Amino acid sequence: MPMPAHETMSSDGGKCCAVLELAVRNHPGVMTHICGLFARRAYNVEGIACMPTGDGSSSRAWLMVNEDERLDQVVKQVEKLHDVIEVRRHEGGHPVFGGLEPYFRS
């Protein structure tokens, strides 16, 4: 049975189960802080999309991640980052990644 367009596969062939939608302050280094937090916890980010919003002083980022027992703790750590304004968690994927999928087909 084919997956809906907004559900995507993880690097290990499993279905990605969660997308974190972050509202962040937009300045150089913000994504480094966020991705560094995931890297220090050996938690792989399967996909990233980010765009500035409004007047450009903030951005919205979507992180596609595999859901496991560590995700709640990682989300709590992300929420503590100074430049993160809000974190929303979407179970079962998000259409933003389904819209990108045609660009990554070989």
Side-chain angles (χ1 to χ4, degrees), residues 45-93:
V45 176
E46 299 286 341
I48 299 173
C50 186
M51 292 290 293
T53 61
D55 64 0
S57 63
S58 63
S59 291
R60 188 161 308 274
W62 295 268
L63 307 177
M64 184 171 59
V65 296
N66 289 321
E67 189 162 349
D68 67 21
E69 66 279 354
R70 301 173 299 159
L71 185 56
D72 287 338
Q73 185 61 37
V74 172
V75 168
K76 289 176 185 173
Q77 296 294 313
V78 169
E79 289 172 332
K80 292 179 182 177
L81 293 175
H82 173 73
D83 290 315
V84 174
I85 300 165
E86 179 183 22
V87 178
R88 293 173 51 193
R89 187 169 169 169
H90 303 275
E91 307 296 331

Side-chain angles (χ1 to χ4, degrees), residues 99-105:
L100 293 173
E101 191 174 305
Y103 297 101
F104 295 96
R105 290 188 183 148

Side-chain angles (χ1 to χ4, degrees), residues 1-10 13-16 92 101 105:
M1 176 180 201
M3 287 191 306
H6 65 278
E7 293 184 9
T8 56
M9 301 296 285
S10 68
K15 187 170 74 174
C16 289
E101 191 174 305
R105 290 188 183 148

